[in-house]
Amino acid sequence: MSTVKDFTLSCPLPITDYPTVTLAHGGGGKLMHQLIEKMILPAFNSPLLEARHDGAVFELGGARLAFTTDSYVVRPLFFPGGDIGSLAINGTVNDLSMCGARPVYLSCGLILEEGLPMETLWAVVQSLKQAAEVAGVQLVTGDTKVVDKGKGDGVFINTAGVGLIEHGLTIAPSAVRAGDVVLLSGDVGRHGIAIMALREGLEFESAIESDCAPLNAAVQTLIGGNVGVHCLRDLTRGGLGTTLIEIAEATGLQITIDEMKIPVRDDVAGACEVLGFDPLYLANEGRMIVFVPENEAARALELLRGSQHTAGAVEIGRVTGERGGLVKMKSRIGTTRIIDMLSGEQLPRIC
Amino acid sequence: MSTVKDFTLSCPLPITDYPTVTLAHGGGGKLMHQLIEKMILPAFNSPLLEARHDGAVFELGGARLAFTTDSYVVRPLFFPGGDIGSLAINGTVNDLSMCGARPVYLSCGLILEEGLPMETLWAVVQSLKQAAEVAGVQLVTGDTKVVDKGKGDGVFINTAGVGLIEHGLTIAPSAVRAGDVVLLSGDVGRHGIAIMALREGLEFESAIESDCAPLNAAVQTLIGGNVGVHCLRDLTRGGLGTTLIEIAEATGLQITIDEMKIPVRDDVAGACEVLGFDPLYLANEGRMIVFVPENEAARALELLRGSQHTAGAVEIGRVTGERGGLVKMKSRIGTTRIIDMLSGEQLPRIC
């Protein structure tokens, strides 16, 4: 029998600082990274998990596969531009895509709270179905659990996914090289603001819709176009800033970006001012960054711009040869600063 | 934007009877089956999901694979013989095994409640690690979310798994034939009673431990021993009774079992009398039934008895040629009755 007591002595986090889990431990910032790096990764037993990737990549039975999972706890369940169902499909489709895989099969685990209106469940299930069809993936296995009223929050969804890697590229932080160009697939911050505006009851001239979208077609366009992609990463919790830092840290190289080149819609920028958010750290659910060799950047950009969900792609910066694992940003006023991971939570339960 | 309203008209469940989700919808009985069959399966878009299997079986990149998922919401988190961590590993290992696959890679999605003691999380993570090592699988990808206090219940875990099928057998309800012998891998009801005794504060001379265990080694022993296995199914929510009914319904054949041959430990039988439960419907987390051709039954039984977690295997009945999708049980007093699926919940949040 396992008991709590057996394990406390060896707990690697300073539990005097954080004796309990806080919302910030799920917020995508420093505390979440500390929790995962110190508590969870060391306890797991796979070299594949060490890759700090959006998913695991391995060979099995002669096939080169990617495998990933995400749970979705967003609230509210429905928001402009999406809902927990479309989020759960697109999030996992995108994680597989970021591994360079073609997403094929998804699983779906539902945790329902007692008292959930049956029609809400029906709406969520229909959205799962629709989003899977749009993304061209099949939901092939599932599970349903019910928890007591007050022990859940309507619906939580877990999707895991299996994708097929049909090329010889290594698409991972380890493939990033000095000189690589950093492309961003579109404007940032809409998912975060769409959720937050709803929670805060903010009204805009027209609703800001989440960017929630599947990125598999855009990735297949790059790979099918023989672009020698070095790394792909979608911008979810923690936003563009955190994602860039993760890759800089994983590679040990520096990334320099230009704030002026990061597309932020006027309404999103306005909402950020009202709410006190930095678009650099806002969550996105249909945006990615792409690292490509300099001489392929123009072609990659053209391919991205021709694909539905990445039509707003732009070049935002470079990987430089300096060591240090830092991200530097040239600001709108011309200064350069080192950008840092958020230390607390920005937006809890954003995905 | 998806809205609840868009979908209500087409909701296929009689929502006047059940306007909201109840605990019984997750209890493994009739209501859960109705929910899954009428609401969830029709909305998904895969022929693979129709197989009513413990997981999906498909070919991808030339490899024959199984893929499955389960969420775990058991309470309490720690119980005699296991905890939510070992349950989450063994449950998914067993679902892959029931597809005839060798479980290889698992994912792990954690949904943590704000305020969860860090040492409880550590204990759960250590248990995940230990159970994965014992079962010989690798945790290769994961995700951590945090929900507000009062919107979760400590820890929920989702594990999904990918397994490799290394033989040419079809192991599924569709392969079951009249004349097949039904083997049961050991005594039933311990997981259900272990959890219930803890919740009710019942004390026994010695604690009844859950049967929670990985069944992959036993399944590999059968397959490696060239037993022509027709179907495998682990007995989880709903217990032996529900599982037999599911297979009878899927095949359209009848299954006849002998109550006298079903091993139930004396302490479990005693607890069932006190608590008013029928061991036939109690949850198990390390038990399975095996359908084999009559002429291979003796050898299969011998192989199972030689494997650690199936040492108590017995023959409990036969598949008969009659149509009807029913399960008949010869009772201890010699009468024969048709056994039915539970209509409500037996034990909520048992896994």
Side-chain angles (χ1 to χ4, degrees):
Chain A
M1 181 184 172
S2 304
T3 65
V4 174
K5 221 170 154 194
D6 297 338
F7 300 114
T8 46
L9 286 176
S10 53
C11 181
L13 267 192
I15 61 174
T16 42
D17 293 354
Y18 288 98
T20 65
V21 171
T22 67
L23 279 171
H25 281 113
K30 265 186 196 164
L31 269 182
M32 189 180 95
H33 281 81
Q34 194 188 43
L35 181 76
I36 291 172
E37 299 277 326
K38 295 203 176 168
M39 289 262 301
I40 298 178
L41 285 184
F44 289 1
N45 53 352
S46 172
L48 294 170
L49 198 72
E50 295 296 324
R52 311 283 191 280
H53 214 306
D54 277 321
V57 172
F58 48 77
E59 209 173 285
L60 191 60
R64 201 164 160 233
L65 303 173
F67 178 35
T68 185
T69 190
D70 258 319
S71 298
Y72 300 86
V73 300
V74 68
R75 86 189 146 85
L77 296 175
F78 301 87
F79 48 84
D83 58 72
I84 193 170
S86 56
L87 202 61
I89 297 295
N90 291 334
T92 293
V93 162
N94 292 348
D95 280 346
L96 291 172
S97 302
M98 298 307 107
C99 297
R102 179 169 63 80
V104 184
Y105 295 121
L106 263 58
S107 69
C108 174
L110 299 169
I111 299 178
L112 311 177
E113 185 192 8
E114 183 187 17
L116 175 75
M118 206 55 92
E119 52 190 279
T120 305
L121 175 59
W122 180 241
V124 169
V125 167
Q126 290 301 306
S127 173
L128 283 164
K129 172 189 165 83
Q130 201 172 57
E133 282 170 1
V134 168
V137 294
Q138 282 186 53
L139 284 160
V140 293
T141 187
D143 174 58
T144 305
K145 293 290 190 308
V146 181
V147 296
D148 330 51
K149 200 167 175 65
K151 300 291 183 186
D153 196 11
V155 187
F156 299 145
I157 302 180
N158 176 284
T159 47
V162 177
L164 187 61
I165 299 177
E166 298 163 304
H167 54 78
L169 299 169
T170 296
I171 298 180
S174 61
V176 171
R177 295 285 173 269
D180 279 1
V181 169
V182 184
L183 308 176
L184 168 63
S185 72
D187 67 300
V188 299
R190 277 202 276 133
H191 180 69
I193 292 298
I195 297 286
M196 214 52 201
L198 205 58
R199 287 194 205 154
E200 301 289 323
L202 292 188
E203 294 204 1
F204 304 99
E205 275 180 42
S206 60
I208 295 176
E209 295 204 333
S210 167
D211 54 282
C212 184
L215 294 170
N216 49 337
V219 170
Q220 292 304 311
T221 297
L222 289 177
I223 291 170
N226 291 315
V227 175
V229 176
H230 284 170
C231 188
L232 297 164
R233 195 63 73 99
D234 59 340
L235 314 175
T236 55
R237 279 181 291 182
L240 175 61
T242 306
T243 306
L244 286 167
I245 293 167
E246 284 172 1
I247 293 179
E249 286 183 351
T251 60
L253 298 171
Q254 288 192 22
I255 301 172
T256 303
I257 59 165
D258 187 341
E259 189 174 15
M260 292 291 286
K261 293 186 176 165
I262 301 169
V264 182
R265 267 179 23 178
D266 287 347
D267 51 3
V268 171
C272 277
E273 272 183 35
V274 173
L275 296 165
F277 289 127
D278 183 342
L280 201 59
Y281 299 105
L282 281 177
N284 310 270
E285 290 294 336
R287 294 291 176 255
M288 63 175 167
I289 48 176
V290 181
F291 290 76
V292 287
E294 187 176 7
N295 63 355
E296 304 196 51
R299 196 159 55 86
L301 207 50
E302 195 186 317
L303 287 168
L304 288 174
R305 286 177 177 165
S307 190
Q308 185 186 359
H309 299 297
T310 54
V314 292
E315 177 183 330
I316 60 163
R318 297 283 170 127
V319 179
T320 71
E322 297 154 280
R323 308 293 307 171
L326 297 174
V327 180
K328 290 183 179 169
M329 185 166 76
K330 232 190 300 175
S331 75
R332 288 174 198 275
I333 54 167
T335 57
T336 296
R337 65 180 174 96
I338 291 170
I339 66 171
D340 197 8
M341 225 176 251
L342 281 186
S343 56
E345 64 186 284
Q346 172 141 294
L347 294 169
R349 300 188 54 189
I350 196 74
C351 60
Chain B
M1 181 186 171
S2 305
T3 63
V4 174
K5 219 170 155 193
D6 296 337
F7 299 114
T8 45
L9 286 176
S10 52
C11 181
L13 265 192
I15 61 174
T16 43
D17 292 354
Y18 288 98
T20 65
V21 171
T22 66
L23 279 172
H25 283 112
K30 265 186 195 164
L31 270 182
M32 188 181 97
H33 281 80
Q34 195 187 42
L35 181 77
I36 291 172
E37 299 275 327
K38 296 203 175 168
M39 290 263 297
I40 298 178
L41 285 184
F44 288 2
N45 54 351
S46 172
L48 294 171
L49 198 73
E50 295 296 325
R52 312 279 192 280
H53 213 307
D54 277 321
V57 171
F58 47 77
E59 208 173 285
L60 191 60
R64 200 163 161 234
L65 304 173
F67 178 36
T68 185
T69 190
D70 259 318
S71 298
Y72 299 86
V73 299
V74 67
R75 86 189 143 86
L77 297 175
F78 301 87
F79 48 82
D83 58 72
I84 192 170
S86 56
L87 202 61
I89 298 295
N90 291 335
T92 293
V93 161
N94 291 348
D95 280 347
L96 291 172
S97 302
M98 298 307 106
C99 298
R102 179 168 62 82
V104 185
Y105 296 121
L106 263 58
S107 68
C108 173
L110 299 170
I111 299 178
L112 311 178
E113 185 191 9
E114 183 188 16
L116 175 75
M118 206 55 93
E119 52 191 281
T120 305
L121 175 59
W122 180 241
V124 168
V125 168
Q126 289 302 306
S127 173
L128 283 163
K129 173 189 165 82
Q130 200 173 57
E133 283 171 359
V134 168
V137 295
Q138 283 187 52
L139 283 160
V140 294
T141 188
D143 173 58
T144 305
K145 292 290 191 307
V146 181
V147 296
D148 331 50
K149 199 167 175 66
K151 299 292 183 186
D153 196 11
V155 187
F156 299 144
I157 302 180
N158 177 284
T159 48
V162 177
L164 187 61
I165 299 177
E166 300 164 302
H167 54 79
L169 298 170
T170 296
I171 297 179
S174 61
V176 171
R177 296 285 173 269
D180 279 1
V181 169
V182 185
L183 307 177
L184 168 63
S185 72
D187 68 299
V188 299
R190 277 201 277 133
H191 180 70
I193 291 298
I195 298 285
M196 215 51 201
L198 206 58
R199 286 194 205 154
E200 300 289 323
L202 291 188
E203 295 203 1
F204 303 99
E205 274 180 45
S206 60
I208 294 176
E209 296 205 332
S210 166
D211 54 283
C212 183
L215 294 170
N216 50 337
V219 169
Q220 291 304 311
T221 297
L222 289 176
I223 292 170
N226 291 314
V227 174
V229 175
H230 283 171
C231 188
L232 297 164
R233 194 62 74 98
D234 59 339
L235 314 176
T236 55
R237 279 182 292 182
L240 174 62
T242 306
T243 307
L244 286 167
I245 293 167
E246 283 171 2
I247 293 179
E249 286 182 352
T251 59
L253 298 171
Q254 287 193 22
I255 301 172
T256 304
I257 58 165
D258 187 341
E259 189 175 14
M260 292 290 287
K261 292 187 176 167
I262 301 169
V264 182
R265 268 181 18 182
D266 286 346
D267 50 4
V268 171
C272 278
E273 272 184 35
V274 173
L275 296 165
F277 289 128
D278 183 341
L280 200 61
Y281 298 105
L282 281 177
N284 310 270
E285 289 294 336
R287 294 289 176 256
M288 63 176 167
I289 48 175
V290 181
F291 290 75
V292 287
E294 186 176 10
N295 62 356
E296 304 196 50
R299 197 159 55 86
L301 206 51
E302 194 186 319
L303 287 168
L304 287 173
R305 287 178 178 166
S307 189
Q308 184 186 358
H309 299 297
T310 54
V314 291
E315 177 183 330
I316 60 163
R318 297 281 170 128
V319 179
T320 71
E322 297 153 279
R323 309 292 308 171
L326 298 175
V327 180
K328 290 184 179 168
M329 185 167 75
K330 233 190 300 174
S331 74
R332 287 173 198 276
I333 54 167
T335 58
T336 296
R337 65 181 175 95
I338 291 170
I339 66 173
D340 197 10
M341 225 177 252
L342 280 186
S343 56
E345 65 185 285
Q346 171 139 294
L347 294 169
R349 299 186 57 189
I350 196 75
C351 60

